[in-house]
Amino acid sequence: MKSKYLIVAVIIVLILVLGYLGRHKIRRMISGTPAQPASQVTTNTQAPTATSESTSSESAMSKNEVQIKNFAFSPASITVKVGESVTWTNQDSVGHSATADDNSFDTGVFSQGKSGSFTFSKAGTYTYHCSVHPNMKATVVVQ
Ligand SMILES: [Cu+2]
């Protein structure tokens, strides 16, 4: 009687083990196929990392920031490279602009929290002012 149970038990265990191994193989085969799209997903996640890198290089370019606060440009003099842009951000509750003295550029008046920018394609020293408050003066040096 006991040996019968043993044999039955062994058979059940064998079936379970074989079934498990079989499932495992099937799982491997199944997971083996999505493993390739999964690696594609990883390359896809690498792609946004590359874009975020380009975004960081863009933010590196937008480092040329001038804050307008208390009716003054800060820094009063900023040096950039040819092809780079300068962004002015208004922190005052009144509108300001960044207007070149020789009118080579003009951001127009922008309100609090807003910003204006200009890309400098020619080397030179650009003195500018605020069109609303001509006493606000500053300089952009383009090298
Ligand atoms: Cu102003």
Side-chain angles (χ1 to χ4, degrees), residues 63-112:
K63 269 181 184 173
N64 303 322
E65 285 181 3
V66 176
Q67 303 297 324
I68 308 174
K69 204 176 177 182
N70 299 322
F71 295 85
F73 296 102
S74 178
S77 181
I78 189 168
T79 303
V80 302
K81 286 174 183 171
V82 172
E84 287 185 345
S85 56
V86 174
T87 303
W88 291 269
T89 304
N90 188 359
Q91 294 184 7
D92 280 345
S93 54
V94 293
H96 293 297
S97 82
T99 308
D101 292 351
D102 63 357
N103 284 315
S104 57
F105 68 89
D106 187 7
T107 61
V109 178
F110 46 92
S111 56
Q112 188 172 32

Side-chain angles (χ1 to χ4, degrees), residues 124-136:
T125 300
Y126 299 83
T127 51
Y128 66 94
H129 60 274
C130 170
S131 61
V132 190
H133 316 97
N135 58 316
M136 291 172 60

